[in-house]
Coordinates of all heavy atoms in Angstrom, one line a residue:
A1 N 147.7 56.1 153.3 CA 148.1 56.0 154.7 C 147.1 56.7 155.6 O 146.5 57.7 155.2 CB 149.5 56.6 154.9
P2 N 146.9 56.2 156.8 CA 145.9 56.8 157.7 C 146.2 58.3 157.9 O 147.4 58.7 158.2 CB 146.1 56.0 159.0 CG 146.7 54.7 158.6 CD 147.6 55.0 157.4
G3 N 145.2 59.1 157.8 CA 145.4 60.5 158.0 C 145.9 61.3 156.9 O 146.0 62.5 157.0
S4 N 146.2 60.7 155.8 CA 146.8 61.4 154.7 C 145.9 62.4 154.0 O 146.3 63.5 153.6 CB 147.4 60.4 153.6 OG 146.4 59.6 153.1
I5 N 144.6 62.0 153.9 CA 143.6 62.9 153.3 C 143.5 64.2 154.2 O 143.5 65.3 153.7 CB 142.3 62.2 153.1 CG1 142.4 61.2 152.0 CG2 141.2 63.3 152.8 CD1 141.2 60.4 151.8
A6 N 143.5 64.0 155.5 CA 143.4 65.1 156.4 C 144.6 66.1 156.3 O 144.5 67.3 156.3 CB 143.2 64.7 157.9
K7 N 145.8 65.5 156.1 CA 147.0 66.3 156.0 C 147.0 67.1 154.6 O 147.3 68.2 154.6 CB 148.2 65.4 155.9 CG 148.6 64.8 157.3 CD 149.8 63.9 157.2 CE 150.0 63.2 158.5 NZ 151.1 62.2 158.4
V8 N 146.5 66.5 153.6 CA 146.4 67.2 152.3 C 145.4 68.3 152.4 O 145.6 69.4 151.9 CB 146.0 66.2 151.2 CG1 145.7 66.9 149.9 CG2 147.2 65.2 150.9
T9 N 144.2 68.0 153.1 CA 143.2 69.0 153.2 C 143.7 70.2 154.0 O 143.5 71.3 153.6 CB 142.0 68.4 154.0 OG1 141.5 67.3 153.2 CG2 140.9 69.4 154.2
R10 N 144.4 69.9 155.1 CA 145.0 71.1 155.9 C 146.0 71.9 155.1 O 146.0 73.1 155.1 CB 145.7 70.5 157.2 CG 144.7 70.2 158.2 CD 145.4 69.9 159.6 NE 146.4 68.9 159.6 CZ 146.1 67.6 159.7 NH1 144.9 67.2 159.9 NH2 147.1 66.7 159.7
A11 N 146.8 71.2 154.3 CA 147.8 71.9 153.4 C 147.1 72.7 152.4 O 147.5 73.9 152.1 CB 148.7 70.9 152.7
L12 N 146.0 72.2 151.8 CA 145.3 73.0 150.8 C 144.6 74.2 151.4 O 144.6 75.3 150.8 CB 144.2 72.1 150.1 CG 144.8 71.1 149.1 CD1 143.7 70.1 148.7 CD2 145.4 71.7 147.9
E13 N 144.1 74.0 152.6 CA 143.4 75.1 153.3 C 144.5 76.2 153.7 O 144.2 77.4 153.6 CB 142.7 74.6 154.6 CG 141.5 73.8 154.3 CD 140.9 73.2 155.5 OE1 141.6 73.1 156.6 OE2 139.8 72.6 155.4
T14 N 145.7 75.8 154.0 CA 146.7 76.7 154.4 C 147.1 77.5 153.1 O 147.2 78.8 153.2 CB 148.0 76.0 154.9 OG1 147.6 75.3 156.1 CG2 149.1 76.9 155.1
T15 N 147.2 76.9 152.0 CA 147.6 77.6 150.8 C 146.5 78.5 150.4 O 146.7 79.6 149.9 CB 147.9 76.7 149.6 OG1 146.7 75.9 149.2 CG2 149.0 75.7 149.9
M16 N 145.2 78.2 150.6 CA 144.1 79.1 150.3 C 144.2 80.3 151.1 O 144.0 81.4 150.6 CB 142.8 78.4 150.4 CG 142.5 77.3 149.4 SD 140.9 76.5 149.7 CE 139.7 77.8 149.3
R17 N 144.5 80.2 152.4 CA 144.6 81.3 153.3 C 145.7 82.2 152.8 O 145.6 83.5 152.8 CB 144.7 80.9 154.7 CG 143.5 80.4 155.3 CD 143.6 80.0 156.8 NE 142.4 79.4 157.3 CZ 142.2 78.1 157.3 NH1 143.1 77.2 156.9 NH2 141.0 77.6 157.8
E18 N 146.9 81.6 152.5 CA 148.0 82.4 152.1 C 147.7 83.1 150.7 O 148.1 84.3 150.6 CB 149.2 81.5 151.9 CG 149.8 80.9 153.2 CD 150.8 79.8 153.1 OE1 151.0 79.4 152.0 OE2 151.4 79.4 154.1
D19 N 147.1 82.4 149.8 CA 146.8 83.0 148.5 C 145.8 84.1 148.7 O 146.0 85.2 148.0 CB 146.2 81.9 147.6 CG 147.3 80.9 147.1 OD1 148.5 81.2 147.2 OD2 146.8 79.8 146.6
A20 N 144.8 84.0 149.5 CA 143.9 85.1 149.7 C 144.6 86.3 150.3 O 144.3 87.4 149.9 CB 142.7 84.6 150.6
T21 N 145.4 86.1 151.3 CA 146.2 87.2 151.9 C 147.0 87.9 150.9 O 147.1 89.2 150.9 CB 147.0 86.7 153.1 OG1 146.1 86.1 154.1 CG2 147.8 87.8 153.8
A22 N 147.6 87.2 150.0 CA 148.5 87.8 149.0 C 147.8 88.2 147.7 O 148.4 88.6 146.8 CB 149.6 86.8 148.7
D23 N 146.5 88.0 147.7 CA 145.6 88.3 146.5 C 146.1 87.6 145.3 O 146.2 88.1 144.2 CB 145.6 89.8 146.3 CG 144.5 90.2 145.3 OD1 143.4 89.5 145.3 OD2 144.6 91.2 144.5
R24 N 146.4 86.3 145.5 CA 146.8 85.4 144.4 C 145.6 84.4 144.1 O 144.8 84.2 145.1 CB 148.0 84.6 144.8 CG 149.2 85.3 145.0 CD 150.4 84.4 145.2 NE 150.2 83.5 146.4 CZ 150.9 83.5 147.5 NH1 151.9 84.4 147.6 NH2 150.7 82.7 148.5
P25 N 145.5 83.9 142.9 CA 144.5 82.9 142.7 C 144.8 81.6 143.5 O 145.9 81.4 143.9 CB 144.6 82.6 141.2 CG 145.8 83.3 140.7 CD 146.3 84.2 141.8
F26 N 143.7 80.9 143.8 CA 143.9 79.7 144.7 C 144.6 78.6 143.9 O 143.9 78.0 143.0 CB 142.6 79.2 145.2 CG 141.9 80.1 146.2 CD1 140.5 80.3 146.1 CD2 142.6 80.7 147.2 CE1 139.8 81.1 147.1 CE2 141.9 81.5 148.1 CZ 140.6 81.7 148.0
I27 N 145.7 78.2 144.3 CA 146.4 77.0 143.7 C 145.6 75.7 144.0 O 145.5 74.8 143.2 CB 147.9 76.8 144.1 CG1 148.6 75.8 143.3 CG2 148.0 76.5 145.6 CD1 148.9 76.2 141.9
A28 N 144.9 75.8 145.1 CA 144.0 74.7 145.6 C 142.9 74.4 144.6 O 142.3 73.3 144.6 CB 143.5 74.9 146.9
A29 N 142.6 75.3 143.7 CA 141.5 75.1 142.7 C 141.9 73.9 141.8 O 141.0 73.4 141.1 CB 141.3 76.4 141.9
R30 N 143.2 73.6 141.7 CA 143.6 72.5 140.9 C 143.2 71.1 141.5 O 143.2 70.1 140.8 CB 145.1 72.5 140.6 CG 145.5 73.7 139.8 CD 145.3 73.3 138.3 NE 145.7 74.4 137.4 CZ 146.8 74.5 136.7 NH1 147.7 73.5 136.8 NH2 147.0 75.5 135.9
A31 N 143.0 71.1 142.8 CA 142.7 69.8 143.5 C 141.2 69.6 143.4 O 140.4 70.1 144.1 CB 143.1 69.9 145.0
V32 N 140.8 68.7 142.4 CA 139.4 68.4 142.2 C 139.1 67.0 142.5 O 140.0 66.1 142.5 CB 139.0 68.7 140.7 CG1 139.2 70.2 140.5 CG2 139.8 67.9 139.8
N33 N 137.8 66.7 142.7 CA 137.4 65.3 143.0 C 137.4 64.5 141.7 O 137.4 65.0 140.6 CB 136.1 65.2 143.7 CG 134.9 65.7 142.9 OD1 134.8 65.4 141.7 ND2 134.0 66.5 143.5
R34 N 137.4 63.2 141.9 CA 137.4 62.3 140.7 C 136.0 62.0 140.1 O 135.9 61.3 139.2 CB 138.0 61.0 141.1 CG 139.5 61.1 141.4 CD 140.1 59.7 141.7 NE 140.2 59.6 143.1 CZ 140.7 58.5 143.7 NH1 141.1 57.5 143.0 NH2 140.9 58.5 145.0
G35 N 135.0 62.7 140.7 CA 133.7 62.5 140.2 C 133.5 63.1 138.9 O 134.3 63.7 138.3
R36 N 132.2 63.1 138.5 CA 131.8 63.6 137.2 C 132.0 65.1 137.0 O 132.3 65.6 136.0 CB 130.4 63.2 136.9 CG 130.1 62.8 135.5 CD 128.7 62.5 135.4 NE 127.8 63.7 135.7 CZ 126.5 63.7 135.7 NH1 125.9 62.7 135.2 NH2 125.9 64.8 136.0
D37 N 131.8 65.8 138.1 CA 131.8 67.3 138.0 C 133.2 67.9 138.0 O 133.4 69.0 137.6 CB 131.0 67.9 139.1 CG 131.4 67.6 140.5 OD1 132.5 66.9 140.6 OD2 130.7 67.9 141.5
K38 N 134.2 67.2 138.5 CA 135.6 67.7 138.5 C 135.8 69.0 139.2 O 136.5 69.9 138.7 CB 136.2 67.8 137.0 CG 136.1 66.5 136.3 CD 137.1 65.5 136.8 CE 137.2 64.3 135.8 NZ 136.9 63.0 136.4
L39 N 135.1 69.1 140.3 CA 135.2 70.3 141.1 C 135.9 70.0 142.4 O 135.9 68.8 142.9 CB 133.7 70.8 141.5 CG 132.9 71.4 140.3 CD1 131.5 71.7 140.8 CD2 133.6 72.7 139.8
P40 N 136.4 71.0 143.1 CA 136.9 70.8 144.5 C 135.8 70.4 145.4 O 134.6 70.6 145.0 CB 137.5 72.2 144.9 CG 137.7 72.9 143.6 CD 136.6 72.4 142.7
G41 N 136.1 69.9 146.5 CA 135.1 69.5 147.5 C 134.4 70.6 148.1 O 134.8 71.8 148.0
K42 N 133.4 70.3 148.9 CA 132.6 71.3 149.6 C 133.4 72.2 150.5 O 133.2 73.4 150.6 CB 131.5 70.6 150.4 CG 130.6 71.5 151.2 CD 129.6 70.8 152.0 CE 128.7 71.6 152.8 NZ 129.3 72.7 153.6
G43 N 134.4 71.6 151.1 CA 135.3 72.4 152.0 C 136.0 73.5 151.3 O 136.3 74.6 151.9
Y44 N 136.4 73.3 150.1 CA 137.1 74.4 149.2 C 136.1 75.6 149.1 O 136.5 76.7 149.4 CB 137.4 73.8 147.9 CG 137.8 74.9 146.9 CD1 139.1 75.3 146.8 CD2 136.9 75.5 146.0 CE1 139.5 76.2 145.8 CE2 137.2 76.5 145.1 CZ 138.5 76.9 145.0 OH 138.9 77.8 144.2
F45 N 134.9 75.3 148.8 CA 133.9 76.4 148.6 C 133.5 77.1 149.9 O 133.4 78.3 149.9 CB 132.7 75.9 147.8 CG 133.0 75.5 146.4 CD1 133.1 74.2 146.0 CD2 133.3 76.5 145.4 CE1 133.5 73.9 144.7 CE2 133.6 76.2 144.1 CZ 133.7 74.8 143.8
D46 N 133.4 76.3 150.9 CA 133.2 76.8 152.3 C 134.3 77.8 152.7 O 134.0 78.9 153.1 CB 133.0 75.7 153.3 CG 131.7 74.9 153.1 OD1 130.8 75.3 152.4 OD2 131.7 73.8 153.7
L47 N 135.5 77.4 152.5 CA 136.6 78.2 152.9 C 136.7 79.4 152.0 O 137.0 80.6 152.4 CB 137.9 77.5 152.9 CG 139.2 78.2 153.4 CD1 139.0 78.9 154.7 CD2 140.4 77.3 153.4
A48 N 136.5 79.2 150.7 CA 136.6 80.3 149.7 C 135.5 81.4 150.1 O 135.8 82.6 150.1 CB 136.3 79.8 148.3
R49 N 134.3 81.0 150.5 CA 133.3 81.9 151.0 C 133.8 82.7 152.2 O 133.7 83.9 152.3 CB 132.0 81.2 151.3 CG 131.2 80.9 150.0 CD 129.9 80.2 150.4 NE 129.2 79.7 149.2 CZ 129.4 78.4 148.8 NH1 130.1 77.5 149.4 NH2 128.7 78.1 147.7
A50 N 134.4 81.9 153.2 CA 134.9 82.5 154.4 C 135.9 83.5 154.1 O 136.1 84.5 154.9 CB 135.4 81.4 155.4
L51 N 136.7 83.3 153.1 CA 137.8 84.2 152.7 C 137.3 85.3 151.7 O 138.1 86.0 151.1 CB 138.9 83.4 152.0 CG 139.6 82.4 153.0 CD1 140.6 81.6 152.2 CD2 140.4 83.2 154.1
S52 N 136.0 85.4 151.5 CA 135.4 86.4 150.6 C 135.8 86.2 149.1 O 135.9 87.1 148.4 CB 135.7 87.8 151.0 OG 135.2 88.0 152.3
R53 N 136.1 84.9 148.8 CA 136.4 84.5 147.4 C 135.6 83.4 146.9 O 135.9 82.8 145.9 CB 137.9 84.1 147.4 CG 138.9 85.2 147.7 CD 139.5 85.9 146.6 NE 140.2 85.0 145.7 CZ 141.5 84.7 145.8 NH1 142.2 85.2 146.8 NH2 142.1 83.8 144.9
G54 N 134.5 83.1 147.6 CA 133.6 82.1 147.1 C 132.6 82.6 146.1 O 132.7 83.7 145.7
P55 N 131.7 81.7 145.7 CA 130.7 82.1 144.6 C 129.9 83.3 145.1 O 129.5 83.4 146.3 CB 129.8 80.9 144.5 CG 130.7 79.7 144.9 CD 131.6 80.3 146.0
R56 N 129.8 84.3 144.3 CA 129.0 85.5 144.5 C 127.5 85.0 144.5 O 127.2 83.9 144.0 CB 129.2 86.5 143.5 CG 130.6 87.1 143.5 CD 130.8 88.2 142.5 NE 130.4 87.9 141.2 CZ 131.2 87.3 140.2 NH1 132.4 87.0 140.5 NH2 130.7 87.0 139.0
P57 N 126.6 85.8 145.0 CA 125.2 85.4 145.1 C 124.6 85.1 143.7 O 123.8 84.2 143.5 CB 124.5 86.6 145.6 CG 125.5 87.3 146.5 CD 126.8 87.1 145.7
D58 N 125.2 85.7 142.6 CA 124.6 85.5 141.3 C 125.5 84.5 140.5 O 125.4 84.3 139.3 CB 124.6 86.8 140.5 CG 126.0 87.4 140.3 OD1 126.9 87.1 141.1 OD2 126.2 88.2 139.4
E59 N 126.4 83.7 141.2 CA 127.3 82.8 140.6 C 127.2 81.4 141.2 O 127.1 81.3 142.5 CB 128.7 83.4 140.8 CG 129.8 82.6 140.2 CD 131.2 83.3 140.4 OE1 131.5 83.7 141.6 OE2 131.9 83.5 139.5
D60 N 127.3 80.4 140.4 CA 127.3 79.0 141.1 C 128.7 78.6 141.2 O 129.7 79.2 140.8 CB 126.4 78.0 140.3 CG 127.0 77.8 138.9 OD1 128.1 78.0 138.6 OD2 126.2 77.2 138.1
E61 N 128.9 77.4 141.8 CA 130.2 76.9 142.2 C 131.0 76.6 140.9 O 132.2 76.8 140.8 CB 130.1 75.6 143.1 CG 129.7 76.0 144.5 CD 129.5 74.8 145.4 OE1 129.5 73.7 144.9 OE2 129.3 75.1 146.6
V62 N 130.3 76.1 139.9 CA 131.0 75.7 138.6 C 131.6 77.0 138.0 O 132.8 77.0 137.6 CB 130.0 75.1 137.6 CG1 130.6 74.9 136.2 CG2 129.5 73.7 138.1
E63 N 130.8 78.1 137.9 CA 131.3 79.3 137.4 C 132.5 79.9 138.2 O 133.5 80.4 137.7 CB 130.2 80.4 137.3 CG 129.2 80.0 136.3 CD 127.9 81.0 136.5 OE1 127.5 81.2 137.6 OE2 127.5 81.5 135.4
C64 N 132.3 79.9 139.5 CA 133.3 80.4 140.5 C 134.6 79.6 140.3 O 135.7 80.2 140.2 CB 132.9 80.2 141.9 SG 134.0 80.7 143.1
H65 N 134.6 78.3 140.2 CA 135.7 77.5 140.0 C 136.4 77.8 138.7 O 137.6 77.9 138.6 CB 135.4 76.0 140.1 CG 136.5 75.1 140.0 ND1 136.6 74.2 139.0 CD2 137.7 74.9 140.8 CE1 137.8 73.5 139.1 NE2 138.4 73.9 140.2
A66 N 135.6 77.8 137.6 CA 136.2 78.1 136.3 C 136.9 79.5 136.3 O 138.0 79.6 135.7 CB 135.1 78.1 135.2
Q67 N 136.3 80.5 137.0 CA 137.0 81.8 137.0 C 138.3 81.7 137.8 O 139.3 82.3 137.4 CB 136.0 82.8 137.7 CG 136.7 84.2 137.8 CD 135.7 85.2 138.5 OE1 134.5 85.1 138.4 NE2 136.3 86.1 139.2
E68 N 138.3 81.0 138.9 CA 139.5 80.8 139.7 C 140.6 80.1 138.9 O 141.8 80.5 138.9 CB 139.2 80.1 141.0 CG 140.3 80.3 142.0 CD 140.4 81.7 142.5 OE1 139.4 82.5 142.5 OE2 141.5 82.0 143.0
L69 N 140.2 79.1 138.1 CA 141.2 78.4 137.3 C 141.7 79.3 136.2 O 142.9 79.3 135.9 CB 140.6 77.1 136.6 CG 140.4 76.0 137.6 CD1 139.7 74.8 136.8 CD2 141.7 75.5 138.1
R70 N 140.9 80.2 135.6 CA 141.4 81.1 134.6 C 142.4 82.1 135.2 O 143.5 82.3 134.7 CB 140.2 81.9 134.0 CG 139.5 81.2 132.9 CD 138.5 82.1 132.2 NE 137.4 82.7 133.0 CZ 136.3 82.1 133.3 NH1 136.1 80.8 132.8 NH2 135.4 82.6 134.1
R71 N 142.1 82.6 136.4 CA 143.0 83.5 137.1 C 144.3 82.8 137.4 O 145.4 83.4 137.2 CB 142.4 84.0 138.4 CG 141.3 85.0 138.3 CD 140.9 85.5 139.7 NE 142.0 86.2 140.3 CZ 142.2 86.3 141.6 NH1 141.5 85.6 142.4 NH2 143.2 87.0 142.1
L72 N 144.3 81.5 137.8 CA 145.5 80.8 138.1 C 146.3 80.6 136.9 O 147.5 80.8 136.8 CB 145.1 79.5 138.8 CG 146.2 78.5 139.1 CD1 147.2 79.2 140.1 CD2 145.7 77.2 139.7
N73 N 145.6 80.1 135.8 CA 146.4 79.9 134.5 C 147.0 81.1 134.0 O 148.1 81.1 133.5 CB 145.4 79.2 133.5 CG 145.1 77.8 133.9 OD1 145.8 77.1 134.5 ND2 143.9 77.4 133.4
E74 N 146.3 82.3 134.1 CA 146.9 83.6 133.7 C 148.1 83.9 134.5 O 149.2 84.3 134.0 CB 145.9 84.7 133.8 CG 144.8 84.6 132.7 CD 143.6 85.5 133.0 OE1 143.7 86.4 133.9 OE2 142.6 85.4 132.2
A75 N 148.0 83.7 135.8 CA 149.1 84.0 136.7 C 150.3 83.1 136.5 O 151.5 83.6 136.5 CB 148.7 83.9 138.2
L76 N 150.1 81.8 136.2 CA 151.2 80.9 135.9 C 151.8 81.1 134.6 O 153.0 80.8 134.4 CB 150.6 79.5 136.0 CG 150.2 79.0 137.4 CD1 149.6 77.6 137.4 CD2 151.4 79.1 138.4
A77 N 151.1 81.7 133.6 CA 151.6 82.0 132.3 C 152.6 83.2 132.3 O 153.3 83.4 131.3 CB 150.5 82.2 131.3
K78 N 152.5 84.0 133.3 CA 153.4 85.2 133.4 C 154.8 84.8 133.6 O 155.2 84.0 134.2 CB 152.9 86.2 134.4 CG 151.6 86.8 134.1 CD 151.1 87.7 135.2 CE 149.8 88.3 134.8 NZ 149.2 89.1 135.9

């Protein structure tokens, strides 16, 4: 439907802000593109950086995403 991607994007951004405030792993890390790399889109990493949870200078996006997924899986297993 028209505008549905924008709505989902806003919802994911909202959850990222809430998760960052509550010091929880990003549930939005589960929303990945269908491409070969299976990573979230650029906006995810841009917002993660703005929330001080993006890739560190010595870390790439793949490593950052993998770490966030590990944190999320550990939190969900509790």
Side-chain angles (χ1 to χ4, degrees):
S4 60
I5 291 175
K7 288 178 186 176
V8 171
T9 298
R10 282 192 303 274
L12 290 170
E13 290 171 349
T14 297
T15 66
M16 287 178 72
R17 288 183 183 93
E18 291 170 353
D19 289 342
T21 299
D23 196 31
R24 295 185 302 245
F26 291 141
I27 190 76
R30 292 276 178 106
V32 298
N33 66 42
R34 291 185 258 180
R36 218 179 61 175
D37 59 7
K38 303 290 189 235
L39 290 173
K42 180 183 179 314
Y44 168 90
F45 293 104
D46 291 344
L47 183 54
R49 284 183 188 94
L51 296 170
S52 300
R53 295 262 300 269
R56 295 181 310 269
D58 63 334
E59 179 181 53
D60 66 19
E61 290 179 347
V62 172
E63 293 169 313
C64 177
H65 182 244
Q67 179 179 331
E68 199 64 29
L69 285 176
R70 280 191 297 276
R71 287 186 64 215
L72 180 60
N73 289 334
E74 288 170 6
L76 293 174
K78 292 180 182 176

